[in-house]
């Protein structure tokens, strides 16, 4: 059968006919990283099949998360259930966003055969210095990488609050992709060892580069100001997990590029912005691959949070 021709019912039939365990995930980035994780954990000859929901095509359009959930829910409770595990993005589910910002789950949530990501999406596993330090150091061509990393590491909590506030403002204004792209090194400011967003500069970027009108810019900035204040009262762990995954990756690299620029400037380099541009040129896929590979290494050693224990609970990974 052509891999692109499954509908949900024929995918159920596939699982019923096989003896192999399957992990069904939403996207190709997830597929690649979980293939790598299982190979490192179980050995390259393991027999777990990792597949992406993009191969399931229904007559009625369905998002990839809905496809994973439909497949797993349809087999849950049957004799074939142990052969399927689904992994989906949590997104903003289970986070308190009313009076205070809080994580109402605080662990990996499991619904039948489905495992939710610990935070918004897969990328949130990378949002800690243990994962980020090695990739960022490797990607920095400047000799001043130690100064840049020191400033970045001491500011990571602020970076995550900013990224989460931008994410939630984007959610309010339905501008997820645009607002993430608008956060570049030029919109940051660093004074008294505190990183923040220069809202005047950000407004200029939103107007000149992204063509938002004054009313929309005002709405974005008002929402951002509200969220950054509320997130200031939330714990650092919640800020890590609630951040929109793709946006967080983009903003983390923008912040690190800013600190590379700062380090080069402090050390008298003639063109500090050139080194920052090298960091910014990496596309989303490459960033996720580099950080994901480091996350896999640490996950296998059980030195960092991952869904491995949840996979043991579903029987995907045996003790």
């Amino acid at each position: 059968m052509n891999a692109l021709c499954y509908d949900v019912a024929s995918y159920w039939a596939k699982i019923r006919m096989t003896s192999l365990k399957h992990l069904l995930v939403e996207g190709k980035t997830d597929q690649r990283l979980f293939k790598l994780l299982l190979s490192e954990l179980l050995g390259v000859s393991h027999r777990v099949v990792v597949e992406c929901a993009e191969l399931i095509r229904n007559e009625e359009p369905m998002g990839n998360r809905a496809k994973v959930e439909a497949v797993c829910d349809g087999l849950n409770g049957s004799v074939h259930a142990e052969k399927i595990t689904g992994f989906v993005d949590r997104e903003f589910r289970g986070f308190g966003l009313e009076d205070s910002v809080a994580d109402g789950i605080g662990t990996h949530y499991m619904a039948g055969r489905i495992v939710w990501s610990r935070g918004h999406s897969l990328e949130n596993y990378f949002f800690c210095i243990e994962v980020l330090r090695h990739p960022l150091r490797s990607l920095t061509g400047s000799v001043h990488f130690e100064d840049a990393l020191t400033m970045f590491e001491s500011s990571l909590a602020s970076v995550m609050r900013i990224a989460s506030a931008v994410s939630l403002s984007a959610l309010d204004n339905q501008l997820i992709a645009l607002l993430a792209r608008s956060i570049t090194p030029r919109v940051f400011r660093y004074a008294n060892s505190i990183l923040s967003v220069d809202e005047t500069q950000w407004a200029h970027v939103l107007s000149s580069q992204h063509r938002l009108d004054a009313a929309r810019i005002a709405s974005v900035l008002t929402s951002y100001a509200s969220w950054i204040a509320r997130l200031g009262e939330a714990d650092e762990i919640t800020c890590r997990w609630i951040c929109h995954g793709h946006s967080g990756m983009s903003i983390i690299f923008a912040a690190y590029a800013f600190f590379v620029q700062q380090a080069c400037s402090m050390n008298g380099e003639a063109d500090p912005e050139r080194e920052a541009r090298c960091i910014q040129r990496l596309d989303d896929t490459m960033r996720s691959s580099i950080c994901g590979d480091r996350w896999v290494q640490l996950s296998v050693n059980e030195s960092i949070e991952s869904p491995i224990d949840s996979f043991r609970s579903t029987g995907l990974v045996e003790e």
Side-chain angles (χ1 to χ4, degrees):
M1 178 181 288
N2 188 316
L4 297 179
C5 291
Y6 292 109
D7 58 15
V8 171
S10 60
Y11 197 82
W12 287 336
K14 172 187 173 178
I15 298 300
R16 293 187 186 105
M17 291 187 292
T18 185
S19 62
L20 299 178
K21 294 180 180 179
H22 282 60
L23 174 62
L24 185 61
V25 300
E26 291 189 48
K28 292 188 183 299
T29 298
D30 302 24
Q31 183 183 22
R32 177 192 176 274
L33 282 179
F34 282 123
K35 278 188 170 185
L36 180 59
L37 177 64
L38 292 172
S39 292
E40 292 291 324
L41 192 65
L42 304 175
V44 294
S45 60
H46 74 84
R47 302 184 71 220
V48 177
V49 178
V50 183
E51 291 188 315
C52 170
E54 291 178 11
L55 60 79
I56 299 173
R57 303 289 178 89
N58 267 30
E59 290 185 9
E60 295 184 6
M62 298 175 69
N64 285 344
R65 191 185 87 190
K67 294 174 190 175
V68 175
E69 292 171 343
V71 166
C72 294
D73 289 345
L75 292 170
N76 191 32
S78 75
V79 295
H80 303 285
E82 66 181 14
K83 292 184 284 186
I84 185 71
T85 296
F87 182 87
V88 297
D89 289 346
R90 174 182 175 180
E91 299 181 2
F92 293 107
R93 295 179 291 179
F95 288 106
L97 299 176
E98 299 301 327
D99 297 331
S100 61
V101 179
D103 186 347
I105 298 176
T107 188
H108 283 94
Y109 179 78
M110 297 177 62
R113 305 297 303 171
I114 301 168
V115 178
W116 287 11
S117 59
R118 173 64 180 83
H120 178 278
S121 49
L122 183 66
E123 288 84 357
N124 296 66
Y125 292 108
F126 314 155
F127 297 168
C128 61
I129 198 61
E130 291 83 1
V131 171
L132 292 168
R133 183 187 293 112
H134 187 274
L136 292 177
R137 183 177 60 201
S138 299
L139 292 168
T140 310
S142 171
V143 296
H144 307 299
F145 66 89
E146 290 178 330
D147 291 337
L149 278 170
T150 297
M151 288 187 285
F152 175 81
E153 184 169 349
S154 67
S155 300
L156 184 55
S158 296
V159 174
M160 292 317 308
R161 279 200 174 86
I162 290 168
S164 296
V166 172
S167 298
L168 292 165
S169 178
L171 182 67
D172 288 345
N173 291 276
Q174 299 183 334
L175 293 170
I176 291 288
L178 187 150
L179 287 198
R181 291 197 307 271
S182 73
I183 301 297
T184 64
R186 70 176 60 185
V187 309
F188 290 111
R189 64 184 173 197
Y190 189 61
N192 300 317
S193 299
I194 297 174
L195 182 73
S196 61
V197 170
D198 183 332
E199 294 184 19
T200 301
Q201 183 62 33
W202 190 22
H204 175 71
V205 170
L206 289 170
S207 173
S208 63
Q209 296 183 19
H210 299 281
R211 306 302 181 191
L212 293 190
D213 61 32
R216 302 225 51 196
I217 293 172
S219 177
V220 167
L221 295 181
T222 299
S223 177
Y224 174 80
S226 173
W227 284 117
I228 199 73
R230 292 166 66 186
L231 287 163
E233 300 175 0
D235 59 73
E236 292 181 16
I237 295 174
T238 298
C239 290
R240 171 189 179 181
W241 296 122
I242 199 173
C243 181
H244 185 281
H246 296 306
S247 298
M249 284 293 288
S250 177
I251 293 168
I252 283 170
F253 272 78
Y256 181 66
F258 169 80
F259 283 121
V260 169
Q261 184 174 319
Q262 290 288 299
C264 291
S265 180
M266 287 164 40
N267 285 281
E269 293 289 342
D271 188 5
E273 291 187 7
R274 183 178 65 83
E275 298 291 350
R277 286 194 295 271
C278 292
I279 302 295
Q280 285 292 93
R281 286 194 190 107
L282 288 171
D283 64 23
D284 292 343
T285 300
M286 184 58 69
R287 290 170 180 168
S288 292
S289 294
I290 293 170
C291 293
D293 285 7
R294 181 59 176 163
W295 170 69
V296 165
Q297 293 172 0
L298 296 171
S299 295
V300 170
N301 295 326
E302 298 187 349
S303 59
I304 204 159
E305 190 139 17
S306 79
I308 291 174
D309 284 342
S310 298
F311 292 160
R312 290 191 177 110
S313 296
T314 67
L316 181 76
V317 173
E318 296 182 358
E319 296 288 347

